[in-house]
Amino acid sequence: MANEVCFRTLEKSEAPWKIDEYRKLGGYEMLEKIIREQTPPDEIIEQVKISNLRGRGGAGFPTGLKWSFINRTTPEEKYVVCNSDEGEPGTFKDRDILRYNPHQLIEGMIICGYVIGGVAGYNYIRGEFVEPTRRFEAALEEARAAGYLGRNILGSGWDFDLHTHLGAGAYICGEETALLESIEGKKGQPRFKPPFPAQFGLFGKPTVINNTESFASVPMILSEGGEWFRDIGVENSGGPKLFSVSGNVNRPGNFEVPLGTPFSELLDMAGGMRDGRKLKAVIPGGSSAPVIPGDIMMDLNMDYDSIQNAGSMLGSGAVIVMDDTNCMVKVLDRISYFYYEESCGQCTPCREGTGWMHRVIHRIETGKGKPEDLDLLVDVAAKIAGRTICALGDAAALPVASFIQHYRDEFQYHIDHKKCMV
Amino acid sequence: MAVDKNTLFNEEIRAEIDSWIAKYPADWKQSACMPALTIVQESNGGWLTSELMDDVAAYLDMPPIAVYEVATFYSMYEHKPVGRHKICLCTNVSCLINNCDSIYEHLKNKLGIGFGEVTGDGRFSLKEVECLGACGGAPMMQIGDKYYENLTPEIVDSILEELD
Ligand SMILES: Cc1cc2nc3c(=O)[nH]c(=O)nc-3n(C[C@H](O)[C@H](O)[C@H](O)COP(=O)(O)O)c2cc1C
Ligand code: SF4
Ligand code: FES
């Protein structure tokens, strides 16, 4: 069972991004039905809750519950925001939704707008995605022409429009409140929470913010039913999920498979290890997720609980596969540089700690490590985690702790012999 | 004294910025700051000057400092001249695993410049970037609007030959 939700149209059409093709495959039927029958919003939220859809952007928060936090009765404007910033290293799935199935995302966002009584929505797309943005904007034009967006949608009296907002190169803008600041024309620095976006979101108004894949899953949840979606996955992990598999595999790419699929099967789909080499390590959920040694990974299933029980996170579903030619010190050196570069600088533990960690790892990598460095690193990492405004601090600390935990001998070798053991 | 906004930029650019302003609530004109910076940067050969940033501030009724803050926070805004073709090479983890180092070495040898530099004829500049969300095609780079994936030194050569 593959390609059932976000990728369901990909093999059934030559040009699934066009509205006529999407409609031929049942697209927009759900939206039309909801508007025609004026389905009570609570019924829609109920189906999304039953589906066990958990946010696909990284944190895995239940989507139905998030939507229920909006107070529909306030007279304030309410907004829908989609997170297509896709900056978590290893992740490249939302780009394909934008390129190949933009209408399903649009339909999901309009349905969310209907549920909360929204006035408008924004899709925040990372600035480098120029070509995917053109696709998405062309789809918006088609949806507007068809009466699904704009004034008096399908004669219902409800006005709702969608726009894009482009990022300009800042990983932190994937964090939801930094993203909202960015749409407001400011530096992307995360806000203190609470208040949460459901109360104080975009332009200070109640806002639902979800990932691209989360929104694009909604039309199928409603047309096939929450239980259908839930039963594709396993307990606590409803539905299929897109996994972006990259690294030392023969056929890297995106695979939409049921949550709970064994990692070994996913690896087979990606063509197995390149050159028949040995699997050394896997980062299962984007570079913020702790690394898992290959032999442990081969026995795990790809769902939220299994990966969490193994000490890591499913995150955005970015699966980075490494073979035995990789030096773990070098990989961590690059990862720690990324967080140091991308820290927004608001909190001292994150701003200073990411710099410290990177400098120490880099000196180990370049043969200048000191005997006390490993304990120092573990100590600095522990002092960042949980002491910052946003989760970037944790995201920087967790990989460091896990790389040293699992590959301490490699780091030690670098320090003792001033060179790599791989 | 307030500037006459019709003297800023040119008509085409003003119309383009206006189309962005129209997407946001009437009292949130500053939301158009990022798109406006992108548009004027593009019109100036790929980089921003303080005059341009000041003009964006005037056009959007923002304090200049607010525009500088935005323009220096995001990595896609440039504050020094760049090449006619800005080559952005990803060196993040999936690209690292797929040997982006060899692509960088090749570009360095071929163009005679490193990251952050521009060729003498102004044709190319090189920039190191973070993950561009195309790790399935690692190693990869972006030039202008386009992504180039699954790079080898030979593929890089043929891509660069196509550019003016
Ligand atoms: C540093 C950081 C970067 C993030 N980057 C992204 C991102 O690129 N895309 C995304 O959807 N969520 C990202 N998130 C998660 C968002 O904050 C938020 O949880 C998500 O957009 C909510 O949508 P969901 O519930 O549908 O996943 C990031 C979080 C942090 C802390
Ligand atoms: S944890 Fe880091 S990135 Fe997040 S708000 Fe603090 S300084 Fe900024
Ligand atoms: S790591 Fe290079 S594109 Fe993602």
Side-chain angles (χ1 to χ4, degrees):
Chain A
M1 255 197 336
N3 295 352
E4 294 227 61
V5 177
C6 294
F7 277 8
R8 74 183 176 91
T9 59
L10 265 52
E11 280 148 26
K12 300 193 184 115
S13 161
E14 295 276 287
W17 53 87
K18 297 214 166 104
I19 196 166
D20 295 340
E21 297 289 305
Y22 180 60
R23 270 194 183 129
K24 261 191 231 156
L25 297 165
Y28 287 116
E29 272 173 21
M30 207 53 231
L31 176 67
E32 288 182 19
K33 181 162 182 279
I34 287 169
I35 302 257
R36 187 172 62 240
E37 296 176 1
Q38 289 291 300
T39 311
D42 284 336
E43 279 179 25
I44 297 174
I45 290 178
E46 190 52 30
Q47 288 303 315
V48 179
K49 280 187 178 164
I50 290 171
S51 79
N52 259 342
L53 170 65
R54 296 174 56 169
R56 302 303 197 219
F61 191 82
T63 304
L65 188 61
K66 186 185 277 186
W67 290 16
S68 73
F69 291 153
I70 299 279
N71 177 0
R72 279 195 309 274
T73 58
T74 63
E76 289 173 284
E77 294 88 13
K78 298 168 206 73
Y79 292 99
V80 176
V81 174
C82 175
N83 190 340
S84 300
D85 196 44
E86 189 142 84
E88 177 71 19
T91 319
F92 49 96
K93 65 190 178 68
D94 298 334
R95 174 178 176 228
D96 279 357
I97 294 177
L98 295 170
R99 291 198 291 179
Y100 303 125
N101 200 2
H103 281 290
Q104 196 162 312
L105 167 60
I106 293 171
E107 186 175 5
M109 288 183 74
I110 303 173
I111 292 171
C112 179
Y114 171 89
V115 166
I116 66 169
V119 292
Y122 295 88
N123 187 10
Y124 190 103
I125 306 179
R126 62 178 299 166
E128 297 89 343
F129 280 176
V130 181
E131 292 179 330
T133 300
R134 287 197 189 120
R135 268 280 163 78
F136 181 75
E137 295 212 317
L140 281 183
E141 279 308 313
E142 289 181 321
R144 223 170 263 134
Y148 298 132
L149 283 172
R151 293 197 173 276
N152 190 20
I153 293 175
L154 301 173
S156 63
W158 173 51
D159 302 340
F160 182 79
D161 213 340
L162 288 179
H163 309 283
T164 50
H165 184 96
L166 293 181
Y171 167 64
I172 191 59
C173 287
E175 195 282 336
E176 56 187 18
T177 58
L179 186 151
L180 298 175
E181 291 284 299
S182 183
I183 301 183
E184 293 178 0
K186 304 176 202 158
K187 293 189 284 192
Q189 289 190 319
R191 300 173 180 168
F192 279 99
K193 292 191 267 191
F196 290 94
Q199 287 89 44
F200 188 87
L202 183 61
F203 310 127
K205 311 289 184 190
T207 301
V208 166
I209 173 162
N210 277 120
N211 171 255
T212 317
E213 185 185 350
S214 309
F215 279 124
S217 299
V218 167
M220 288 302 285
I221 289 172
L222 299 179
S223 64
E224 304 300 310
E227 287 174 11
W228 171 84
F229 188 89
R230 182 195 65 201
D231 293 343
I232 291 177
V234 292
E235 205 181 348
N236 283 329
S237 299
K241 160 120 196 55
L242 290 171
F243 290 104
S244 304
V245 184
S246 70
N248 302 121
V249 294
N250 280 311
R251 282 193 308 276
N254 285 311
F255 303 90
E256 184 172 52
V257 295
L259 280 161
T261 298
F263 168 75
S264 56
E265 280 180 29
L266 185 63
L267 184 59
D268 282 345
M269 286 179 209
M273 298 303 293
R274 197 181 298 153
D275 304 328
R277 295 212 68 102
K278 189 173 177 307
L279 174 67
K280 178 175 186 177
V282 177
I283 300 176
S287 75
S288 306
V291 65
I292 299 184
D295 49 347
I296 300 179
M297 197 65 208
M298 285 305 275
D299 293 329
L300 295 180
N301 296 335
M302 299 304 293
D303 60 77
Y304 293 95
D305 290 354
S306 301
I307 301 296
Q308 193 174 339
N309 291 339
S312 188
M313 313 183 302
L314 199 66
S316 58
V319 183
I320 305 171
V321 179
M322 290 173 264
D323 69 22
D324 56 358
T325 60
N326 288 286
C327 163
M328 301 314 267
V329 183
K330 187 171 182 190
V331 171
L332 185 63
D333 182 22
R334 185 60 185 87
I335 291 177
S336 68
Y337 174 74
F338 171 70
Y339 292 102
Y340 160 63
E341 269 292 305
E342 300 294 331
S343 166
C344 85
Q346 268 190 112
C347 331
T348 312
C350 173
R351 184 185 62 236
E352 301 301 324
T354 51
W356 257 101
M357 291 194 301
H358 176 249
R359 278 193 301 278
V360 175
I361 296 162
H362 191 67
R363 82 176 172 229
I364 298 175
E365 161 64 11
T366 50
K368 301 185 197 89
K370 301 177 188 153
E372 63 274 19
D373 278 353
L374 292 183
D375 291 333
L376 175 66
L377 275 174
V378 172
D379 186 53
V380 175
K383 288 201 169 102
I384 301 174
R387 289 190 173 80
T388 55
I389 296 175
C390 89
L392 187 141
D394 297 342
L398 290 171
V400 172
S402 72
F403 270 75
I404 294 177
Q405 181 197 339
H406 294 298
Y407 301 98
R408 197 174 177 109
D409 52 337
E410 268 185 56
F411 285 83
Q412 197 62 54
Y413 192 94
H414 261 261
I415 294 172
D416 297 343
H417 298 87
K418 318 277 175 224
K419 63 177 196 231
C420 189
M421 69 191 274
V422 183
Chain B
M1 200 187 71
V3 279
D4 177 2
K5 289 184 186 168
N6 288 323
T7 63
L8 298 172
F9 318 117
N10 63 39
E11 207 177 321
E12 203 182 321
I13 291 178
R14 288 196 302 271
E16 217 183 321
I17 298 177
D18 290 347
S19 74
W20 281 93
I21 294 174
K23 297 181 179 199
Y24 308 100
D27 49 347
W28 281 92
K29 220 180 189 176
Q30 73 176 56
S31 284
C33 176
M34 286 171 69
L37 287 170
T38 304
I39 293 164
V40 301
Q41 168 164 294
E42 180 78 6
S43 75
N44 188 50
W47 65 294
L48 292 167
T49 59
S50 3
E51 293 73 40
L52 282 171
M53 291 187 279
D54 289 343
D55 288 355
V56 166
Y59 197 74
L60 297 175
D61 304 315
M62 290 170 71
I65 180 76
V67 175
Y68 303 158
E69 270 186 11
V70 171
T72 51
F73 185 82
Y74 298 91
S75 66
M76 286 170 73
Y77 301 124
E78 303 288 349
H79 300 274
K80 283 192 314 215
V82 293
R84 191 155 68 248
H85 304 288
K86 179 166 95 176
I87 303 172
C88 299
L89 182 70
C90 171
T91 61
N92 210 307
V93 59
S94 300
C95 287
L96 174 79
I97 292 172
N98 282 291
N99 212 0
C100 62
D101 288 357
S102 71
I103 304 297
Y104 181 47
E105 283 307 311
H106 183 70
L107 282 166
K108 265 203 308 204
N109 291 333
K110 192 177 167 77
L111 303 175
I113 54 170
F115 285 136
E117 296 174 343
V118 190
T119 54
D121 59 2
R123 191 164 159 227
F124 294 109
S125 54
L126 259 181
K127 180 170 183 167
E128 177 174 33
V129 295
E130 296 301 343
C131 175
L132 291 183
C135 332
M140 64 80 63
M141 64 184 180
Q142 175 169 32
I143 306 176
D145 293 355
K146 262 187 85 114
Y147 276 22
Y148 298 91
E149 304 180 35
N150 302 307
L151 298 176
T152 62
E154 297 73 44
I155 293 176
V156 168
D157 287 347
S158 64
I159 293 165
L160 298 193
E161 266 160 38
E162 294 289 305
L163 301 171
D164 63 293

